[in-house]
Amino acid sequence: MSDLAFAEMPNQAGFFGEYGGQFVPEPLKEIMNQINQAYEEICQCDEFKTELASLFADYVGRPSPIFHAKRLSEQLGGAQIYLKREDLNHTGAHKINHCLGEALLAKYMGKTKVIAETGAGQHGVALATACALVGIPCEIHMGQVDIEKEHPNVVKMRVLGCTIVPVTRGTATLKDAVDSAFEEYLKDPHNFIYAIGSVVGPHPFPKMVRDFQAIIGKEAKQQFTQRFNQLPDYVTACVGGGSNAIGMFSAFLEHPEVKLVGVEPAGKGLDTDQHSATLTLGKPSTLHGMACYVLEDEQGQPLPVHSIASGLDYPGVGPQHSYLKDHGRVTYDSVTDQECLDAFMRLSRVEGIIPALESAHAVAWAIRIAPSLDPEQRILVNLSGRGDKDADYVANLLGLA
């Protein structure tokens, strides 16, 4: 594929090919365009760039290191597995990267409240943290199922001072939390800002969140080159909405020798209705203000979805991922709940690293593929978050509590 396929994306209307855009009412388009203008302005501001870089270094703890999972690699045979340790960031995941950017943008625009959704709670914790740092009220909408499942993160959000709105409608999970948060935002879009938690939603959010998350790939590319004088053979990351994956992939898109693999949740099996494999089994449609792949029924309504990982159970996906799938630059595979659990426990007991269930999907894919590759080859996994939030849930599930 020509390198030009990835240049200057999205276009001015917010499209990655046929995906993205602003599928929202006309008055809201004006608001979105104001956010885009403010974002473009601060990106040119030296003061903003200096402040964000300083926070990445001194507050988040960047750069996050790359760790060679030697014992795991030895057990598996074949390719060597390396982990980009986003789990070591302040708040425990990659989410803080874009939350700091969004909070600073809200401050720049003079907004009076930041609203967001969260699934696994990592975006909620990161945004509550960023809002506490800049002094802006924060309101997080979270499905009741996820509130009960991710109790440690709920407690953290409350300690940080944000308001949590339980969502009991529908499946009471991430999609419903997005709907609820968006409704609250529409009550006063001039004074509120909706800080979307992934590379989804209407333009400019897929672009903005990607740009803030691109620090992952930039660091990883530099670190790998310095260490090995070459790039990894494979780069993989889990995909729900797709922020950690696009953040990692962005630095490698122009290097066709690097195979990029996004890992979706196959849940209880692709042959069941209990999965969230949007790019694998979905089709192009619209959802939450964007054109993207969607899992939907015959009436065009989003399907109920499932994943053991609360942060991945979303019936849509980022528009750039949809574009990359169609053009074949990224391969999208899937991992079941059981494979995810096995990887969660194996990484914990072999390397002493407890991964988030979301991240364990990418680890599971690496465990699956490594034995079939040569020992000289290297797989880089984006370990997007730590598993503190999931430890009680997994312990109860496996009878370890």
Side-chain angles (χ1 to χ4, degrees):
M1 184 192 305
S2 167
D3 288 350
L4 294 176
F6 309 118
E8 301 300 324
M9 298 190 74
N11 64 18
Q12 289 188 344
F15 281 93
F16 301 85
E18 63 183 282
Y19 303 102
Q22 293 176 332
F23 291 83
V24 295
E26 201 62 37
L28 198 55
K29 285 186 179 183
E30 182 180 344
I31 300 293
M32 293 296 110
N33 290 336
Q34 289 172 5
I35 294 172
N36 184 51
Q37 181 179 348
Y39 170 68
E40 295 296 339
E41 287 174 359
I42 65 168
C43 283
Q44 304 303 316
C45 175
D46 289 338
E47 183 179 351
F48 169 78
K49 289 187 285 188
T50 299
E51 183 175 10
L52 186 61
S54 176
L55 289 173
F56 276 163
D58 302 330
Y59 191 70
V60 179
R62 305 205 68 90
S64 61
I66 287 180
F67 173 74
H68 183 195
K70 292 181 183 178
R71 294 190 66 232
L72 180 62
S73 301
E74 288 171 0
Q75 283 188 7
L76 294 169
Q80 300 301 300
I81 296 174
Y82 293 82
L83 309 175
K84 177 62 170 166
R85 298 291 307 276
E86 289 298 289
D87 60 309
L88 296 179
N89 293 343
H90 179 45
T91 72
H94 71 290
K95 296 290 187 179
I96 191 67
N97 298 330
H98 71 256
C99 285
L100 284 173
E102 289 179 325
L104 291 173
L105 175 63
K107 179 182 177 182
Y108 174 83
M109 296 184 72
K111 300 295 184 178
T112 60
K113 183 165 75 170
V114 177
I115 300 166
E117 84 297 331
T118 195
Q122 287 303 123
H123 175 60
V125 170
L127 192 64
T129 298
C131 286
L133 179 67
V134 303
I136 296 179
C138 179
E139 178 176 299
I140 302 294
H141 293 240
M142 189 172 188
Q144 186 63 40
V145 168
D146 296 330
I147 287 176
E148 295 168 7
K149 188 175 173 182
E150 306 288 1
H151 181 68
N153 275 347
V154 174
V155 172
K156 289 177 186 176
M157 284 185 276
R158 287 179 174 146
V159 168
L160 288 162
C162 86
T163 300
I164 298 177
V165 178
V167 180
T168 57
R169 71 175 78 170
T171 59
T173 55
L174 182 57
K175 185 265 178 186
D176 308 290
V178 173
D179 292 341
S180 176
F182 202 68
E183 289 169 11
E184 177 64 21
Y185 169 64
L186 289 177
K187 292 178 182 178
D188 191 358
H190 290 279
N191 292 306
F192 301 165
I193 190 168
Y194 184 6
I196 293 176
S198 191
V199 284
V200 298
H203 176 63
F205 286 97
K207 173 185 71 173
M208 277 184 5
V209 174
R210 176 204 61 193
D211 291 352
F212 290 133
Q213 289 296 346
I215 186 70
I216 303 172
K218 289 174 184 176
E219 286 180 2
K221 183 179 178 181
Q222 182 180 43
Q223 289 166 321
F224 232 83
T225 302
Q226 288 178 344
R227 190 165 174 176
F228 301 109
N229 200 31
Q230 65 182 67
L231 298 176
D233 298 282
Y234 290 83
V235 174
T236 186
C238 66
V239 176
S243 59
N244 92 92
I246 210 68
M248 175 62 96
F249 294 164
S250 59
F252 299 98
L253 288 174
E254 313 295 352
H255 297 275
E257 70 275 19
V258 180
K259 298 176 179 65
L260 306 176
V261 181
V263 185
E264 295 193 299
K268 296 181 180 179
L270 297 180
D271 56 346
T272 74
D273 60 358
Q274 297 289 299
H275 63 80
S276 301
T278 304
L279 289 163
T280 305
L281 294 176
K283 62 181 182 180
S285 186
T286 58
L287 178 71
H288 293 144
M290 63 177 169
C292 65
Y293 272 78
V294 183
L295 289 168
E296 60 183 20
D297 60 24
E298 293 178 356
Q299 286 73 46
Q301 295 301 309
L303 286 168
V305 290
H306 161 81
S307 172
I308 194 171
S310 296
L312 301 182
D313 56 357
Y314 183 59
V317 68
Q320 190 166 5
H321 284 293
S322 301
Y323 173 84
L324 292 170
K325 170 189 165 63
D326 282 2
H327 286 264
R329 179 61 187 96
V330 179
T331 299
Y332 293 91
D333 206 339
S334 62
V335 158
T336 65
D337 285 350
Q338 188 59 55
E339 289 177 293
C340 169
L341 268 177
D342 292 345
F344 179 98
M345 293 304 298
R346 190 164 189 174
L347 189 65
S348 298
R349 294 187 170 182
V350 174
E351 297 289 358
I353 298 172
I354 303 175
L357 284 171
E358 291 77 14
S359 314
H361 282 75
V363 176
W365 184 86
I367 289 173
R368 181 199 296 168
I369 196 71
S372 67
L373 302 176
D374 294 331
E376 297 80 20
Q377 292 185 288
R378 301 180 180 97
I379 302 170
L380 177 59
V381 178
N382 193 19
L383 198 72
S384 56
R386 65 178 178 240
D388 303 31
K389 65 185 179 59
D390 300 311
D392 288 346
Y393 172 75
V394 171
N396 288 326
L397 199 63
L398 299 180
L400 301 174

